Amino acid sequence: MLAEVEVFGPRSCQVQPHADEEWSVSSVSRSATNGDADRVLEEFTLKGGDDHPGALQSELPNVDHVFAYDQRHVFQVSRAAEQGCVCERIEAAGCVVQKFTADTESIVVTFLVDDMPTLRDIVADLQSEGETVKLRRLLEDTSTETDQPVVLDRAKLTNRQREVLSQAHQMGYFEHPRDATAGDVAEALDISTSTFTEHLAAAQRKLLADLLDSR
């Protein structure tokens, strides 16, 4: 299965803090530092606006600007290994990280996971690393006869919840970085931001219950 989780306010990530209002992290890779198992070198890419990213003014001795191309800047961060960051926690569970993005609020990680019990354990573990953890997407491989597709019952949603989900999707609220804020979607629906978030949370709970309870 391919899972995508969003972690808000990650505590151990040393890449996400370099994102700012105009520049987001579009990729990250990690390798050992000169064969030293106790340290790792993370290379990340910032993409964004016309001005230079704030990371260029970083005075931290372990952050290096490598090169720039097409409104992208590549940096390297040298740090101690096994700090319990999101990617390390996911990989410790035997999963393969395929994609990493980040903005000023959160990070989004896409990874391969074998089964639902492992995914539940990962989400539970990540809850100690961030302020909030959300499962954004789950794709199951149903190519074999023994696999069972996940059925999402839309009838569980109220008309208002379906309208909120549809509007949020159309406006790019679920993109990363987001194309619209909660306030933008709420204004388009002519409701308050708090009402929008309440409907959205209720709809997500119902849909995730189907996903996470599937066998």
Side-chain angles (χ1 to χ4, degrees):
M1 297 183 294
L2 191 66
E4 183 179 87
V5 297
E6 183 171 14
V7 182
F8 292 84
R11 300 182 179 92
S12 302
C13 182
Q14 295 196 21
V15 172
Q16 186 258 350
H18 296 287
D20 57 33
E21 295 301 325
E22 294 186 2
W23 293 83
S24 61
V25 180
S26 62
S27 66
V28 66
S29 62
R30 189 167 70 254
S31 61
T33 303
N34 297 326
D36 185 355
D38 294 329
R39 297 196 64 80
V40 296
L41 188 67
E42 287 185 311
E43 184 173 284
F44 64 94
T45 301
L46 291 178
K47 69 173 184 178
D50 297 325
D51 295 331
H52 293 307
L56 285 176
Q57 282 75 48
S58 174
E59 298 180 356
L60 297 175
N62 61 337
V63 179
D64 295 317
H65 183 235
V66 182
F67 61 91
Y69 69 100
D70 296 336
Q71 290 186 309
R72 287 172 169 80
H73 290 264
V74 179
F75 296 83
Q76 288 182 342
V77 176
S78 175
R79 65 169 178 83
E82 299 182 1
Q83 293 188 337
C85 65
V86 171
C87 292
E88 287 179 341
R89 288 172 182 266
I90 292 173
E91 291 174 350
C95 300
V96 178
V97 174
Q98 288 199 334
K99 185 178 179 181
F100 176 103
T101 60
D103 60 19
T104 57
E105 295 182 351
S106 64
I107 67 174
V108 175
V109 184
T110 305
F111 58 95
L112 293 171
V113 59
D114 289 336
D115 49 49
M116 289 303 302
T118 301
L119 178 58
R120 292 191 191 99
D121 290 342
I122 290 173
V123 172
D125 181 49
L126 292 180
Q127 288 175 344
S128 65
E129 170 58 20
E131 298 172 358
T132 305
V133 179
K134 292 184 179 180
L135 177 62
R136 288 165 51 104
R137 185 171 57 160
L138 179 63
L139 300 177
E140 287 198 276
D141 180 5
T142 58
S143 59
T144 65
E145 294 181 358
T146 58
D147 289 328
Q148 297 295 324
V150 175
V151 178
L152 299 180
D153 186 2
R154 292 184 60 197
K156 291 183 178 181
L157 303 180
T158 66
N159 290 336
R160 194 54 158 167
Q161 288 167 356
R162 284 196 293 270
E163 181 184 15
V164 165
L165 278 175
S166 177
Q167 187 70 40
H169 180 265
Q170 291 176 13
M171 294 181 65
Y173 178 79
F174 298 109
E175 298 299 322
H176 195 82
R178 290 192 175 105
D179 293 331
T181 65
D184 294 332
V185 182
E187 183 178 357
L189 292 167
D190 195 24
I191 58 177
S192 67
T193 301
S194 61
T195 300
F196 163 73
T197 56
E198 288 173 4
H199 283 306
L200 183 63
Q204 288 177 322
R205 281 196 300 270
K206 292 177 180 179
L207 296 177
L208 287 176
D210 280 349
L211 287 173
L212 297 178
D213 290 341
S214 299
R215 298 290 188 271

